[in-house]
Amino acid sequence: MFSGLGRFVVRRPWWIILVWVVAAGAVISLAPKLTSSSDEASFLPDHYESIRASDVQEKEFPKQQNIGAIIVFQRSDGEKLTAADSADVERVSKDLQSRKIPEVQAVVPGEVSPNKQVQTSVVAMPKITDPEDTSQQDAVKKLRDGLQPELKGTDLSAGITGSAAQALDESDASERAGLLVGVGTIVIIIVLLLVIFRSPIIALLPVVLIGLISPMATGLIASANKAFDMKADSSIQELLTVVLFGVGTDYILFLLFRYREALRAGEDSKSGMVHAVERVGEAITSAAGAVIVAFAALTLSSLGMLQSMGPALAIAVFVTLLAGLTLVPAVVSLLGTKVFWPSKSWQREPHGTGFAKLGASIARKPAVWTLVSALFMGALALGALGYKANFDLAGSSLPKDKESMVALDNLQKGFPAGTTDPTSVYLTSTTDRPVPKAQADAFRERLSGVGGVGEVGAPRLSPDRTTASYSVILSDPPASDKALATVKDRLRPAAHEDAPDGTKALVGGTTAVYVDINRAVDRDYSVVFPVAALAIMVILGLLLRSLVAPWYLMLSVALGFGATLGATSLLFQQLGSQPGLMFMLPVIMYLFVVALGTDYNILMVSRLREEAREGRGPHDAAGTAVRHSGPTIGSAGVILAGTFATLMLAGNSTLSQMGFSLSFGILIAAFVMALIFTPALTALIGHAAWWPGHGDEKRTGHGGSAPQDPDEQRLGGATRSR
């Protein structure tokens, strides 16, 4: 099959290129814009309590003003606020409201804090129904522009925080992040390919080709999101960049290394490309299939952000696979050996190298290498025991010098930390009778006595008086572990139990949303993980015609996942100052490490099987496979890890955690799992690893595999010297 595909592409390269250019142009011109949302509530299913509470608010209090932003005032000299300062706060608030800024319903000055350090003005804004709507962010920008001139001549300083202000600061930070990630990814790919191949043509090849398919994949994803009404998480664009360039470069490397090997064996450029597609086509397709099914497993998630992320990344990998099997061979077959210019290394046979020595050592002592690699990953995995989830995607991902974060810190000098985002409790009659005022007031008293609750506002009754609304300010920041524990363990149980007869209570708001997301993620762990693992094992079983190999290959991946989560927890929680890791990081990490790590395992076991079919014993086959596949896997692993590491350039703790964990996981997958653990354990198991298909049995009609040259191995030597 892949031999026929290779011949078809090599014979018609210009037609293949033309089809890709026309298809990309059509998709890009017709597709809608890819949009994203950072509204966590919009990703939860309707049956969760926080969403049902939101529905009550929209039905019973449609004109209720939401706290879109909070202006935090304090004296510039740090002294206590005076009556004159409070008069200035009222004047500034009145002047800002008189500007008639769109989306600003009111600017209402509040009370001075008990310690006289802080006073606030609440900026009321309507509830956002469209996650693409940025009008409230524009309103905050105008408020900030108008605030500072109003403060001239006073002793006050002020800043604006709250949900709309944080969304504005996050949007500004994301634009910078996207630029840095995009530029950093391209620079890393070019530099590393220049080091490995010493060819500017190869260094630019992924940038040009993936630069063509990247907007095409983005267009297809946007079209799919619109067709199936899916929402994209705010980090999807940065992830798409590194997935397309990282995975795409991997597939190009797989093909080029095998192409150069065929050239060294004496084949011409055309037949060499056919040979390369034939030999790595199955491995690339199986590897991409593993990635696609792993990402597709996210559709089983109960969180909308993961449901949409899975198909988006699966589409990106599928487009990259098609390009790797058609567009890349077409372009390289046209360039021929000029693709390696000015290097002449494709003409030379290799000498002894670092990967050759590693392979020889694994062949001699597979048990030692199996034990050492397993203990190394297992030791790192112990760090995962300290993992904590963090749900503050907006606040925790923003630099501390952003105005919304500075103002939030100032606010907490005088008010409970939950002031910026109160929790909402709704007491609704189940008999359609009005809620008696005495019952509403008594319920408020019960809520006020809940541990972790700082303040409960007076009840507001709906027009038909069948629902009472309470604004509950928590003592801790809305996204903190303590706030989540307050809502989950005390506030919700108390509200449900203390609701008077004939009524029911619902607890909503941002903290309640985080509590429900936590429940949804726990459920996803028990569904998505095993489904993805089972699907990948099926692909491995079909590829290898074995029931044994998929089990220990997935064991290696599980060890790699544990090591990655452990190392990330140690770095950011124990050694760093982060309160926890992004709540969905383990899911993303699992899928990337499992799926992309399986890529390298597939490439290794495919070579192991090929060497066994040449008549080599299990130990010899392992050593030879490491020598030949080491440069490919090492190069691909470093480049893919480098592209993921660019996420750390964003200055955003969420993306920094994602960048470190994924790049570290890829390095573990390439250099520990695929290059040591898998071949060593396969050598130990021997012929039984291929049961019942016995795909390792010697076959006739297969040419020997050509070795690699020294410049392929340079990465191995550099890695070893590190």
Side-chain angles (χ1 to χ4, degrees):
M1 171 184 172
F2 291 102
S3 177
L5 176 63
R7 287 192 296 271
F8 178 84
V9 170
V10 167
R11 289 171 183 170
R12 301 169 180 84
W14 286 112
W15 283 107
I16 298 294
I17 295 171
L18 179 62
V19 168
W20 271 97
V21 171
V22 171
V27 170
I28 294 169
S29 61
L30 297 175
K33 181 182 178 182
L34 179 63
T35 57
S36 62
S37 171
S38 58
D39 177 15
E40 291 86 355
S42 67
F43 296 116
L44 275 171
D46 294 339
H47 65 271
Y48 282 96
E49 182 173 344
S50 58
I51 305 304
R52 288 187 285 127
S54 178
D55 293 340
V56 170
Q57 185 262 313
E58 292 178 5
K59 178 183 177 182
E60 303 294 343
F61 303 92
K63 296 182 179 180
Q64 178 177 323
Q65 293 179 332
N66 294 283
I67 300 178
I70 296 178
I71 307 175
V72 182
F73 297 90
Q74 60 181 350
R75 283 186 62 90
S76 303
D77 56 12
E79 297 296 323
K80 292 183 178 181
L81 293 167
T82 65
D85 296 327
S86 293
D88 286 334
V89 169
E90 291 189 14
R91 177 188 59 78
V92 170
S93 301
K94 183 178 180 180
D95 289 347
L96 289 175
Q97 182 169 332
S98 68
R99 291 172 179 260
K100 304 295 183 184
I101 298 174
E103 296 297 305
V104 176
Q105 297 172 324
V107 182
V108 183
E111 298 294 328
V112 180
S113 65
N115 62 6
K116 305 292 185 181
Q117 291 293 320
V118 178
Q119 186 171 358
T120 63
S121 281
V122 174
V123 181
M125 295 180 175
K127 182 178 176 63
I128 295 179
T129 57
D130 181 4
E132 301 173 22
D133 186 0
T134 60
S135 57
Q136 292 192 4
Q137 298 177 33
D138 297 334
V140 172
K141 190 179 298 183
K142 292 177 181 178
L143 283 170
R144 284 176 173 173
D145 291 340
L147 177 60
Q148 298 309 317
E150 294 286 350
L151 295 175
K152 289 183 178 179
T154 72
D155 295 321
L156 299 173
S157 62
I160 302 178
T161 187
S163 58
Q166 284 189 342
L168 173 62
D169 290 342
E170 184 181 23
S171 176
D172 292 341
S174 295
E175 290 181 7
R176 173 178 173 271
L179 178 63
L180 285 173
V181 169
V183 172
T185 297
I186 292 173
V187 169
I188 283 178
I189 288 175
I190 291 175
V191 170
L192 289 176
L193 286 176
L194 277 173
V195 170
I196 295 166
F197 284 98
R198 292 179 293 174
S199 167
I201 297 176
I202 290 179
L204 293 174
L205 190 64
V207 176
V208 174
L209 296 184
I210 301 170
L212 170 67
I213 67 173
S214 178
M216 182 180 179
T218 302
L220 290 173
I221 293 166
S223 299
N225 284 355
K226 183 177 181 180
F228 297 101
D229 192 28
M230 296 187 296
K231 299 179 179 68
D233 175 62
S234 57
S235 63
I236 188 65
Q237 191 61 64
E238 286 80 11
L239 268 179
L240 281 176
T241 299
V242 295
V243 167
L244 284 165
F245 278 93
V247 174
T249 303
D250 267 11
Y251 294 164
I252 290 174
L253 280 176
F254 292 171
L255 193 71
L256 284 176
F257 273 122
R258 204 59 188 252
Y259 176 54
R260 187 163 66 177
E261 184 177 335
L263 293 177
R264 291 201 204 98
E267 299 195 42
D268 60 63
S269 60
K270 300 292 184 183
S271 62
M273 180 50 65
V274 173
H275 174 89
V277 173
E278 176 187 6
R279 287 303 180 96
V280 301
E282 183 181 30
I284 290 177
T285 303
S286 299
V291 178
I292 289 170
V293 298
F295 288 156
L298 284 175
T299 57
L300 300 175
S301 170
S302 56
L303 288 174
M305 68 179 76
L306 295 179
Q307 288 176 355
S308 61
M309 182 184 294
L313 297 177
I315 290 171
V317 173
F318 180 71
V319 173
T320 305
L321 170 65
L322 292 181
L325 293 176
T326 57
L327 180 61
V328 176
V331 171
V332 174
S333 66
L334 284 175
L335 294 172
T337 57
K338 294 184 180 66
V339 75
F340 299 106
W341 181 88
S343 174
K344 300 293 185 180
S345 61
W346 60 273
Q347 299 174 341
R348 298 193 299 267
E349 292 295 333
H351 304 288
T353 62
F355 285 115
K357 294 177 181 177
L358 175 62
S361 180
I362 290 175
R364 289 194 306 270
K365 301 175 181 178
V368 173
W369 283 104
T370 300
L371 183 62
V372 168
S373 56
L375 288 176
F376 173 74
M377 292 187 286
L380 284 177
L382 293 176
L385 298 175
Y387 163 75
K388 291 182 180 179
N390 177 33
F391 294 86
D392 187 6
L393 295 187
S396 67
S397 64
L398 284 173
K400 297 303 180 184
D401 59 351
K402 286 291 185 181
E403 182 174 334
S404 61
M405 302 305 294
V406 174
L408 179 60
D409 288 340
N410 291 332
L411 175 70
Q412 294 177 15
K413 294 176 182 177
F415 290 103
T419 302
T420 58
D421 207 340
T423 294
S424 300
V425 179
Y426 299 96
L427 185 67
T428 303
S429 171
T430 57
T431 61
D432 292 331
R433 295 178 181 177
V435 176
K437 185 178 186 304
Q439 284 189 349
D441 291 339
F443 187 67
R444 177 195 180 191
E445 292 300 320
R446 295 189 186 100
L447 295 180
S448 299
V450 173
V453 170
E455 181 182 326
V456 180
R460 296 176 61 247
L461 294 175
S462 61
D464 62 3
R465 304 182 66 82
T466 60
T467 301
S469 170
Y470 303 84
S471 178
V472 179
I473 296 177
L474 303 179
S475 303
D476 303 293
S480 66
D481 288 342
K482 291 182 178 179
L484 267 66
T486 296
V487 170
K488 177 185 176 184
D489 301 330
R490 294 186 291 276
L491 183 60
R492 268 186 176 167
H496 296 163
E497 294 170 7
D498 294 337
D501 293 339
T503 66
K504 65 177 181 180
L506 293 173
V507 179
T510 300
T511 306
V513 168
Y514 291 143
V515 170
D516 290 339
I517 286 178
N518 198 7
R519 287 179 54 202
V521 170
D522 288 342
R523 176 261 178 198
D524 289 348
Y525 288 160
S526 63
V527 175
V528 175
F529 281 20
V531 168
L534 181 62
I536 292 175
M537 287 182 67
V538 169
I539 289 177
L540 289 171
L542 293 174
L543 169 67
L544 303 174
R545 281 76 169 175
S546 168
L547 295 178
V548 177
W551 286 98
Y552 68 80
L553 292 177
M554 289 307 296
L555 170 63
S556 72
V557 170
L559 284 171
F561 167 75
T564 303
L565 181 59
T568 307
S569 298
L570 288 170
L571 179 64
F572 288 94
Q573 292 179 197
Q574 274 71 42
L575 299 179
S577 58
Q578 295 296 318
L581 303 182
M582 179 181 61
F583 71 90
M584 62 180 181
L585 185 62
V587 177
I588 297 173
M589 189 189 304
Y590 174 83
L591 292 171
F592 274 92
V593 173
V594 167
L596 299 179
T598 303
D599 274 14
Y600 303 133
N601 267 344
I602 286 176
L603 194 66
M604 175 55 70
V605 295
S606 295
R607 192 65 188 233
L608 282 166
R609 181 180 60 181
E610 185 177 326
E611 297 302 333
R613 285 175 175 175
E614 296 296 330
R616 294 182 174 89
H619 288 215
D620 189 22
T624 306
V626 170
R627 179 164 73 91
H628 289 327
S629 295
T632 309
I633 294 173
S635 301
V638 167
I639 290 177
L640 186 57
T643 58
F644 279 125
T646 59
L647 290 171
M648 300 176 70
L649 299 174
N652 174 318
S653 65
T654 298
L655 290 177
S656 293
Q657 291 174 11
M658 193 180 299
F660 172 80
S661 63
L662 296 183
S663 59
F664 185 84
I666 293 302
L667 291 176
I668 289 287
F671 289 96
V672 182
M673 287 163 43
L675 287 179
I676 298 176
F677 186 83
T678 294
L681 189 54
T682 303
L684 278 178
I685 297 174
H687 185 62
W690 310 98
W691 182 87
H694 299 310
D696 62 327
E697 292 178 346
K698 184 176 181 179
R699 301 183 182 184
T700 58
H702 292 274
S705 51
Q708 307 285 357
D709 66 14
D711 61 306
E712 276 184 17
Q713 312 291 352
R714 189 182 313 108
L715 187 64
T719 303
R720 190 176 63 258
S721 65
R722 290 195 297 268

